[in-house]
């Protein structure tokens, strides 16, 4: 039998130090609240992939100094108090933006960033207007990473709950077919304590019924473990950029103006981008569990 000390060390190796297990919440929310909604409870940051290498942002004779990566960043805040032995749980659908959609999306981000200059790229904290200076960097860094559609709130759980939660999630979600999702709408969301505003893409048509069913399945697992369920009327989305504080009013106005301009230019399509769902993942602390992988059909 392991001593308590050795057992704690083994858990830290597997899930990371619980002092830093994804409790910081200054980027992408589990389910951001729409700017015209009343807050409930929650929020988090989760980053399944490491940030792109700094060399990608700073090749010779390119952007100049990258001091902003080390200094001047908004301070991070915890979404819930740290308790030793707790680990952050996040269940989500990994999403990648197809190359064919990146150019048009990049142009939209450029136009928004020119009016709202304090936006940062989600998870990386690079100022968006800096990346907008070079199109290929904007597409690679801001749009080339993994995004996540949350299927449940990000909540703290105890070590003894981990195996049970992962097992039940796999049981509930094991029979999942691949399906397409359309991101049809640019939307502005805020987190519960109104300390962060997010520029997001929302799913409002294709894929929404399937995601809703998966959220219901995750809710059943949460309820069994006495964890808070997801919002009653969830709005699945991915967040691309964030700003410090509640700037939802000004950001929403810019998004609406740009959307109308796209209609006038004839560049607005029924969908902004489309992605095929291939599975569901669950991150606990620093460890990612594969809940299901949908077969190719």
């Amino acid at each position: 039998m392991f001593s308590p000390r050795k057992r704690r060390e083994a858990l830290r190796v597997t899930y990371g130090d619980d002092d830093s297990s994804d409790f910081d919440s200054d980027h992408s929310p589990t389910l951001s609240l729409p700017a015209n909604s009343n807050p409930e409870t929650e929020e988090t940051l989760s980053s399944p992939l490491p940030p792109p290498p700094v060399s990608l942002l700073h090749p010779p004779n390119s952007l100049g100094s990258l001091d902003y990566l080390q200094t001047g960043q908004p301070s991070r805040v915890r979404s819930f108090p740290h308790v030793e032995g707790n680990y952050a749980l996040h269940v989500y659908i990994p999403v990648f933006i197809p190359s064919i959609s990146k150019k048009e999306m990049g142009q939209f981000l450029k136009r928004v960033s020119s009016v709202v200059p304090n936006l940062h790229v989600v998870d990386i904290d690079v100022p968006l207007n800096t990346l907008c200076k070079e199109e290929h960097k904007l597409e690679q860094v801001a749009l080339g990473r993994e995004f996540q559609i949350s299927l449940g709130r990000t909540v703290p759980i105890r070590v003894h709950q981990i195996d049970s939660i992962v097992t039940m999630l796999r049981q509930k979600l094991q029979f999942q077919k691949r399906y397409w999702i359309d991101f049809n709408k640019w939307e502005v969301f805020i987190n519960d304590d109104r300390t962060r505003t997010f520029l997001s893409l929302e799913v409002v048509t294709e894929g929404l019924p399937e995601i809703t069913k998966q959220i219901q399945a995750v809710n059943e697992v949460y309820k069994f473990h006495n964890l808070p369920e997801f919002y009653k009327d969830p709005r699945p989305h991915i967040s691309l950029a964030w700003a410090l504080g509640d700037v939802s009013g000004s950001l929403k106005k810019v998004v609406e103006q740009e959307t109308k301009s796209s209609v006038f230019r004839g560049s607005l399509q029924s969908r902004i981008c489309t992605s095929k769902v291939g599975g569901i993942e669950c991150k606990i602390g620093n460890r990612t569990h594969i809940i299901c992988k949908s077969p190719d059909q």
Side-chain angles (χ1 to χ4, degrees):
M1 295 290 292
F2 287 121
S3 67
R5 179 179 178 181
K6 289 185 176 180
R7 186 168 183 271
R8 287 195 299 269
E9 291 174 353
L11 286 170
R12 287 196 176 101
V13 169
T14 303
Y15 291 97
D17 190 341
D18 54 5
D19 279 337
S20 58
S21 299
D22 286 344
F23 286 101
D24 289 333
S25 173
D26 56 329
H27 306 302
S28 179
T30 303
L31 174 66
S32 312
L33 294 173
N36 57 357
S37 293
N38 293 324
E40 296 182 24
T41 54
E42 75 163 314
E43 295 319 308
T44 191
L45 156 72
S46 184
S47 176
L49 297 178
V54 172
S55 59
L56 178 63
L57 299 175
H58 190 199
N61 303 319
S62 179
L63 295 179
S65 174
L66 288 182
D67 291 340
Y68 59 80
L69 288 175
Q70 289 82 31
T71 62
Q73 292 300 309
S75 59
R76 301 193 176 196
V77 295
R78 292 184 183 274
S79 57
F80 34 76
H82 163 66
V83 177
E84 185 175 359
N86 280 4
Y87 293 87
L89 165 68
H90 184 211
V91 185
Y92 58 90
I93 298 171
V95 172
F96 290 92
I97 295 172
S99 299
I100 194 172
S101 303
K102 290 180 181 178
K103 182 169 182 146
E104 188 67 29
M105 291 175 61
Q107 293 301 316
F108 187 92
L109 291 175
K110 276 186 180 181
R111 293 193 293 269
V112 172
S113 178
S114 67
V115 183
V116 186
N118 58 337
L119 289 171
H120 289 69
V121 178
V122 164
D123 286 345
I124 307 173
D125 284 357
V126 177
L128 184 58
N129 57 7
T130 300
L131 291 178
C132 288
K133 296 176 182 177
E134 297 190 35
E135 185 173 315
H136 73 282
K137 290 178 182 174
L138 177 63
E139 295 181 6
Q140 287 178 309
V141 178
L143 302 175
R145 55 179 296 277
E146 179 187 284
F147 296 89
Q148 301 165 354
I149 299 176
S150 295
L151 299 178
R153 298 178 185 268
T154 297
V155 294
I157 63 172
R158 303 296 292 176
V159 170
H160 69 270
Q161 296 177 299
I162 293 176
D163 289 343
S164 174
I165 289 172
V166 172
T167 299
M168 286 192 67
L169 286 172
R170 286 172 175 165
Q171 290 173 346
K172 295 282 186 182
L173 298 166
Q174 60 181 323
F175 300 112
Q176 302 291 322
K177 295 181 179 180
R178 285 181 178 265
Y179 61 91
W180 290 94
I181 52 176
D182 289 346
F183 294 94
N184 316 81
K185 181 183 178 184
W186 289 100
E187 186 56 273
V188 175
F189 294 89
I190 55 175
N191 63 357
D192 288 335
D193 54 11
R194 298 184 180 273
T195 59
R196 299 292 185 273
T197 304
F198 299 89
L199 176 60
S200 307
L201 280 177
E202 185 178 3
V203 181
V204 296
T205 54
E206 186 75 19
L208 183 58
E210 291 86 351
I211 296 174
T212 301
K213 289 180 181 179
Q214 291 172 341
I215 289 174
Q216 292 171 350
V218 174
N219 272 342
E220 292 176 10
V221 178
Y222 274 45
K223 186 176 181 180
F224 182 85
H225 292 86
N226 295 317
L227 300 174
E229 298 176 45
F230 213 26
Y231 288 97
K232 182 179 179 181
D233 297 309
R235 298 178 63 181
H237 64 276
I238 58 174
S239 293
L240 284 78
W242 67 275
L244 185 65
D246 182 357
V247 297
S248 56
S250 58
L251 183 56
K252 193 174 184 66
K253 184 177 180 180
V254 172
V255 169
E256 290 174 350
Q257 290 174 341
E258 286 301 325
T259 300
K260 290 178 181 178
S261 298
S262 297
V263 173
F264 180 77
R265 291 191 299 269
S267 61
L268 185 67
Q269 302 177 351
S270 60
R271 65 179 68 93
I272 298 167
C273 74
T274 298
S275 181
K276 196 171 188 179
V277 174
I280 298 172
E281 297 180 1
C282 165
K283 188 172 184 182
I284 302 175
N286 294 327
R287 181 177 178 183
T288 300
H289 300 262
I290 304 298
I291 300 303
C292 72
K293 281 191 174 182
S294 305
D296 292 315
Q297 292 185 354

